[in-house]
Short mmCIF file of all heavy atoms in Angstrom, two decimals:
data_model
loop_
_atom_site.label_atom_id
_atom_site.label_comp_id
_atom_site.label_asym_id
_atom_site.label_seq_id
_atom_site.Cartn_x
_atom_site.Cartn_y
_atom_site.Cartn_z
N THR A 1 0.84 -1.22 0.07
CA THR A 1 -0.01 -0.02 -0.05
C THR A 1 0.92 1.18 -0.07
O THR A 1 2.17 1.10 0.06
CB THR A 1 -0.85 0.12 1.28
OG1 THR A 1 -0.12 0.32 2.40
CG2 THR A 1 -1.58 -1.40 1.51
N ASN A 2 0.18 2.38 -0.03
CA ASN A 2 0.96 3.64 0.02
C ASN A 2 1.39 4.03 1.46
O ASN A 2 2.19 5.04 1.73
CB ASN A 2 0.29 4.82 -0.65
CG ASN A 2 -1.02 5.10 0.04
OD1 ASN A 2 -1.38 4.62 1.17
ND2 ASN A 2 -1.81 6.13 -0.51
N CYS A 3 0.92 3.20 2.40
CA CYS A 3 1.25 3.39 3.87
C CYS A 3 0.89 4.89 4.36
O CYS A 3 1.63 5.40 5.21
CB CYS A 3 2.76 3.11 4.08
SG CYS A 3 3.20 1.40 3.72
N LEU A 4 -0.18 5.33 3.88
CA LEU A 4 -0.53 6.73 4.20
C LEU A 4 -2.17 6.70 4.47
O LEU A 4 -2.90 6.10 3.72
CB LEU A 4 -0.26 7.65 3.00
CG LEU A 4 -0.49 9.17 3.25
CD1 LEU A 4 0.52 9.79 4.21
CD2 LEU A 4 -0.39 9.92 1.88
N ASN A 5 -2.45 7.21 5.69
CA ASN A 5 -3.87 7.35 6.09
C ASN A 5 -4.56 6.04 6.08
O ASN A 5 -5.74 5.96 5.79
CB ASN A 5 -4.65 8.23 5.12
CG ASN A 5 -3.94 9.63 4.85
OD1 ASN A 5 -3.50 10.28 5.86
ND2 ASN A 5 -3.84 10.12 3.56
N LEU A 6 -3.92 5.02 6.52
CA LEU A 6 -4.47 3.71 6.58
C LEU A 6 -5.58 3.62 7.62
O LEU A 6 -5.55 4.43 8.57
CB LEU A 6 -3.47 2.56 6.76
CG LEU A 6 -2.45 2.45 5.65
CD1 LEU A 6 -1.49 1.29 5.98
CD2 LEU A 6 -3.07 2.33 4.27
N ASP A 7 -6.47 2.71 7.52
CA ASP A 7 -7.64 2.64 8.43
C ASP A 7 -7.05 2.43 9.93
O ASP A 7 -7.65 3.01 10.84
CB ASP A 7 -8.54 1.41 8.08
CG ASP A 7 -9.35 1.65 6.77
OD1 ASP A 7 -9.41 2.76 6.34
OD2 ASP A 7 -9.77 0.66 6.24
N GLU A 8 -5.99 1.63 10.05
CA GLU A 8 -5.52 1.45 11.39
C GLU A 8 -4.95 2.77 12.04
O GLU A 8 -5.13 2.91 13.25
CB GLU A 8 -4.41 0.41 11.36
CG GLU A 8 -4.90 -1.06 10.97
CD GLU A 8 -4.89 -1.29 9.53
OE1 GLU A 8 -4.77 -0.30 8.67
OE2 GLU A 8 -5.03 -2.45 9.14
N THR A 9 -4.36 3.63 11.19
CA THR A 9 -3.92 4.99 11.64
C THR A 9 -5.18 5.72 12.22
O THR A 9 -5.01 6.29 13.32
CB THR A 9 -3.30 5.71 10.56
OG1 THR A 9 -2.10 5.01 10.13
CG2 THR A 9 -2.93 7.09 10.97
N HIS A 10 -6.22 5.83 11.46
CA HIS A 10 -7.42 6.50 11.90
C HIS A 10 -7.93 5.94 13.27
O HIS A 10 -8.30 6.70 14.14
CB HIS A 10 -8.48 6.51 10.83
CG HIS A 10 -8.23 7.53 9.74
ND1 HIS A 10 -8.52 8.87 9.79
CD2 HIS A 10 -7.73 7.29 8.46
CE1 HIS A 10 -8.20 9.42 8.69
NE2 HIS A 10 -7.71 8.64 7.87
N GLU A 11 -7.85 4.60 13.35
CA GLU A 11 -8.39 3.96 14.53
C GLU A 11 -7.55 4.29 15.75
O GLU A 11 -8.00 4.41 16.93
CB GLU A 11 -8.49 2.50 14.38
CG GLU A 11 -9.44 1.78 15.37
CD GLU A 11 -10.86 2.25 15.29
OE1 GLU A 11 -11.44 2.29 14.12
OE2 GLU A 11 -11.47 2.50 16.44
N VAL A 12 -6.23 4.44 15.53
CA VAL A 12 -5.31 4.70 16.62
C VAL A 12 -5.67 6.21 17.05
O VAL A 12 -5.68 6.47 18.31
CB VAL A 12 -3.87 4.71 16.26
CG1 VAL A 12 -2.96 5.32 17.28
CG2 VAL A 12 -3.46 3.27 16.00
N VAL A 13 -5.97 7.10 16.24
CA VAL A 13 -6.31 8.42 16.54
C VAL A 13 -7.65 8.42 17.39
O VAL A 13 -7.83 9.06 18.41
CB VAL A 13 -6.52 9.32 15.36
CG1 VAL A 13 -6.98 10.69 15.72
CG2 VAL A 13 -5.20 9.46 14.60
N ARG A 14 -8.68 7.58 16.98
CA ARG A 14 -9.87 7.45 17.65
C ARG A 14 -9.63 6.92 19.12
O ARG A 14 -10.25 7.43 20.04
CB ARG A 14 -10.84 6.54 16.97
CG ARG A 14 -11.31 7.02 15.49
CD ARG A 14 -12.40 6.13 14.94
NE ARG A 14 -12.50 6.52 13.59
CZ ARG A 14 -12.05 5.77 12.58
NH1 ARG A 14 -11.61 4.58 12.71
NH2 ARG A 14 -12.32 6.17 11.30
N LEU A 15 -8.82 6.02 19.19
CA LEU A 15 -8.42 5.38 20.57
C LEU A 15 -7.85 6.44 21.40
O LEU A 15 -8.29 6.66 22.67
CB LEU A 15 -7.50 4.26 20.36
CG LEU A 15 -6.86 3.70 21.69
CD1 LEU A 15 -7.99 3.20 22.61
CD2 LEU A 15 -5.83 2.61 21.34
N ILE A 16 -6.84 7.25 20.94
CA ILE A 16 -6.18 8.23 21.75
C ILE A 16 -7.28 9.23 22.11
O ILE A 16 -7.19 9.78 23.27
CB ILE A 16 -5.08 8.86 20.90
CG1 ILE A 16 -3.92 7.86 20.63
CG2 ILE A 16 -4.44 10.11 21.60
CD1 ILE A 16 -2.78 8.37 19.78
N ARG A 17 -8.18 9.70 21.26
CA ARG A 17 -9.17 10.70 21.63
C ARG A 17 -10.06 10.12 22.78
O ARG A 17 -10.35 10.75 23.69
CB ARG A 17 -10.03 11.06 20.36
CG ARG A 17 -11.24 11.96 20.88
CD ARG A 17 -11.72 12.86 19.78
NE ARG A 17 -12.84 13.61 20.29
CZ ARG A 17 -13.45 14.57 19.58
NH1 ARG A 17 -12.97 14.90 18.43
NH2 ARG A 17 -14.43 15.25 20.11
N THR A 18 -10.46 8.90 22.66
CA THR A 18 -11.26 8.30 23.63
C THR A 18 -10.68 8.23 25.00
O THR A 18 -11.20 8.63 26.15
CB THR A 18 -11.69 6.78 23.34
OG1 THR A 18 -12.43 6.83 22.09
CG2 THR A 18 -12.41 6.09 24.45
N LEU A 19 -9.32 7.87 25.05
CA LEU A 19 -8.55 7.88 26.30
C LEU A 19 -8.32 9.22 26.89
O LEU A 19 -8.44 9.39 28.08
CB LEU A 19 -7.26 7.18 26.02
CG LEU A 19 -7.28 5.62 25.68
CD1 LEU A 19 -5.93 5.18 25.25
CD2 LEU A 19 -7.85 4.79 26.73
N ILE A 20 -8.03 10.17 26.03
CA ILE A 20 -7.75 11.49 26.49
C ILE A 20 -8.95 12.26 27.02
O ILE A 20 -9.02 12.77 28.14
CB ILE A 20 -6.99 12.41 25.45
CG1 ILE A 20 -5.60 11.94 25.31
CG2 ILE A 20 -7.11 13.87 25.83
CD1 ILE A 20 -4.82 12.68 24.24
N GLU A 21 -10.06 12.11 26.29
CA GLU A 21 -11.26 12.88 26.72
C GLU A 21 -11.93 12.31 27.93
O GLU A 21 -12.68 13.05 28.55
CB GLU A 21 -12.20 13.02 25.49
CG GLU A 21 -12.92 11.78 25.09
CD GLU A 21 -13.75 11.96 23.76
OE1 GLU A 21 -13.74 13.09 23.32
OE2 GLU A 21 -14.40 11.01 23.37
N HIS A 22 -11.73 11.05 28.19
CA HIS A 22 -12.29 10.53 29.34
C HIS A 22 -11.35 10.66 30.60
O HIS A 22 -11.73 10.31 31.76
CB HIS A 22 -12.68 9.02 29.16
CG HIS A 22 -13.88 8.83 28.40
ND1 HIS A 22 -13.84 8.79 27.02
CD2 HIS A 22 -15.22 8.62 28.72
CE1 HIS A 22 -15.08 8.64 26.53
NE2 HIS A 22 -15.91 8.62 27.62
N THR A 23 -10.13 11.24 30.34
CA THR A 23 -9.26 11.49 31.44
C THR A 23 -9.20 12.89 31.80
O THR A 23 -9.34 13.31 32.92
CB THR A 23 -7.78 11.03 30.92
OG1 THR A 23 -7.73 9.60 30.58
CG2 THR A 23 -6.82 11.11 32.14
N GLN A 24 -9.07 13.76 30.78
CA GLN A 24 -9.08 15.21 30.86
C GLN A 24 -9.89 15.85 29.81
O GLN A 24 -9.35 16.13 28.68
CB GLN A 24 -7.59 15.74 30.70
CG GLN A 24 -7.37 17.22 31.07
CD GLN A 24 -7.51 17.50 32.43
OE1 GLN A 24 -7.14 16.64 33.34
NE2 GLN A 24 -8.20 18.63 32.81
N PRO A 25 -11.18 16.03 29.95
CA PRO A 25 -12.16 16.29 28.95
C PRO A 25 -11.75 17.53 28.03
O PRO A 25 -12.16 17.68 26.94
CB PRO A 25 -13.48 16.45 29.66
CG PRO A 25 -13.25 15.69 30.89
CD PRO A 25 -11.97 15.75 31.33
N ASP A 26 -11.11 18.56 28.74
CA ASP A 26 -10.85 19.77 27.99
C ASP A 26 -9.48 19.65 27.22
O ASP A 26 -9.11 20.61 26.58
CB ASP A 26 -10.82 20.98 29.03
CG ASP A 26 -9.74 20.86 30.01
OD1 ASP A 26 -9.17 19.70 30.18
OD2 ASP A 26 -9.41 21.86 30.74
N SER A 27 -8.89 18.51 27.12
CA SER A 27 -7.67 18.30 26.37
C SER A 27 -8.03 18.16 24.88
O SER A 27 -9.17 17.70 24.61
CB SER A 27 -6.91 17.14 26.86
OG SER A 27 -6.31 17.39 28.05
N ILE A 28 -7.16 18.52 24.00
CA ILE A 28 -7.46 18.63 22.57
C ILE A 28 -6.33 17.77 21.83
O ILE A 28 -5.18 17.94 22.12
CB ILE A 28 -7.52 20.10 22.11
CG1 ILE A 28 -8.70 20.80 22.70
CG2 ILE A 28 -7.53 20.22 20.58
CD1 ILE A 28 -8.73 22.28 22.48
N ILE A 29 -6.80 17.08 20.78
CA ILE A 29 -5.96 16.45 19.83
C ILE A 29 -5.92 17.33 18.53
O ILE A 29 -6.99 17.57 17.96
CB ILE A 29 -6.38 15.01 19.51
CG1 ILE A 29 -6.21 14.19 20.76
CG2 ILE A 29 -5.58 14.45 18.42
CD1 ILE A 29 -6.84 12.81 20.67
N ILE A 30 -4.71 17.59 17.99
CA ILE A 30 -4.60 18.11 16.74
C ILE A 30 -3.76 17.24 15.84
O ILE A 30 -2.63 16.90 16.21
CB ILE A 30 -3.82 19.51 16.79
CG1 ILE A 30 -4.68 20.47 17.69
CG2 ILE A 30 -3.64 20.14 15.38
CD1 ILE A 30 -4.11 21.84 17.81
N THR A 31 -4.23 16.84 14.70
CA THR A 31 -3.40 16.00 13.78
C THR A 31 -2.63 16.82 12.79
O THR A 31 -3.16 17.77 12.16
CB THR A 31 -4.29 15.00 13.00
OG1 THR A 31 -5.43 15.66 12.45
CG2 THR A 31 -4.86 13.99 13.97
N GLU A 32 -1.28 16.50 12.70
CA GLU A 32 -0.40 17.20 11.82
C GLU A 32 -0.21 16.29 10.56
O GLU A 32 0.45 15.35 10.48
CB GLU A 32 0.91 17.38 12.46
CG GLU A 32 1.85 18.25 11.66
CD GLU A 32 2.87 17.47 10.71
OE1 GLU A 32 3.18 16.34 11.21
OE2 GLU A 32 3.40 18.14 9.79
N THR A 33 -1.07 16.55 9.49
CA THR A 33 -1.13 15.74 8.29
C THR A 33 -0.96 16.71 7.16
O THR A 33 -1.91 17.24 6.52
CB THR A 33 -2.42 15.08 8.18
OG1 THR A 33 -3.49 15.97 8.40
CG2 THR A 33 -2.53 13.89 9.20
N ASN A 34 0.38 16.88 6.70
CA ASN A 34 0.67 17.76 5.64
C ASN A 34 0.47 17.08 4.25
O ASN A 34 1.47 16.65 3.63
CB ASN A 34 2.14 18.27 5.76
CG ASN A 34 2.45 19.43 4.94
OD1 ASN A 34 1.65 19.82 4.10
ND2 ASN A 34 3.66 19.97 5.04
N ILE A 35 -0.79 16.86 3.94
CA ILE A 35 -1.16 16.01 2.73
C ILE A 35 -2.26 16.76 2.07
O ILE A 35 -2.80 17.76 2.54
CB ILE A 35 -1.63 14.69 3.23
CG1 ILE A 35 -2.65 14.88 4.37
CG2 ILE A 35 -0.41 13.80 3.69
CD1 ILE A 35 -3.23 13.57 4.84
N PRO A 36 -2.74 16.38 0.83
CA PRO A 36 -3.74 17.04 0.08
C PRO A 36 -5.00 17.24 1.01
O PRO A 36 -5.29 16.40 1.82
CB PRO A 36 -3.99 16.01 -1.08
CG PRO A 36 -2.70 15.50 -1.33
CD PRO A 36 -2.10 15.20 0.10
N ASN A 37 -5.74 18.23 0.62
CA ASN A 37 -6.84 18.66 1.41
C ASN A 37 -7.91 17.76 1.89
O ASN A 37 -8.23 17.57 3.08
CB ASN A 37 -7.41 19.96 0.77
CG ASN A 37 -8.41 20.79 1.70
OD1 ASN A 37 -7.95 21.10 2.84
ND2 ASN A 37 -9.57 21.09 1.34
N ILE A 38 -8.34 17.01 0.94
CA ILE A 38 -9.51 15.98 1.28
C ILE A 38 -8.96 14.99 2.34
O ILE A 38 -9.73 14.58 3.21
CB ILE A 38 -9.98 15.40 -0.01
CG1 ILE A 38 -10.68 16.49 -0.96
CG2 ILE A 38 -10.99 14.18 0.30
CD1 ILE A 38 -11.16 15.84 -2.26
N GLU A 39 -7.76 14.50 2.08
CA GLU A 39 -7.26 13.56 3.00
C GLU A 39 -7.00 14.13 4.36
O GLU A 39 -7.28 13.47 5.41
CB GLU A 39 -5.89 12.99 2.43
CG GLU A 39 -5.95 12.29 1.14
CD GLU A 39 -4.51 12.06 0.59
OE1 GLU A 39 -3.67 11.70 1.28
OE2 GLU A 39 -4.45 12.08 -0.69
N ASN A 40 -6.59 15.38 4.46
CA ASN A 40 -6.43 16.07 5.65
C ASN A 40 -7.69 16.17 6.42
O ASN A 40 -7.75 15.90 7.69
CB ASN A 40 -5.82 17.52 5.39
CG ASN A 40 -5.51 18.27 6.70
OD1 ASN A 40 -5.05 17.66 7.63
ND2 ASN A 40 -5.87 19.55 6.66
#
């Protein structure tokens, strides 16, 4: 594959959000994805 934006990557982000927001609800995740707009 192109090893970019794979489903597993998105799921890891979802997991991190779940863990963070249930620990410190006002914490924020920002993804740094310097890629074409739609993928971003």
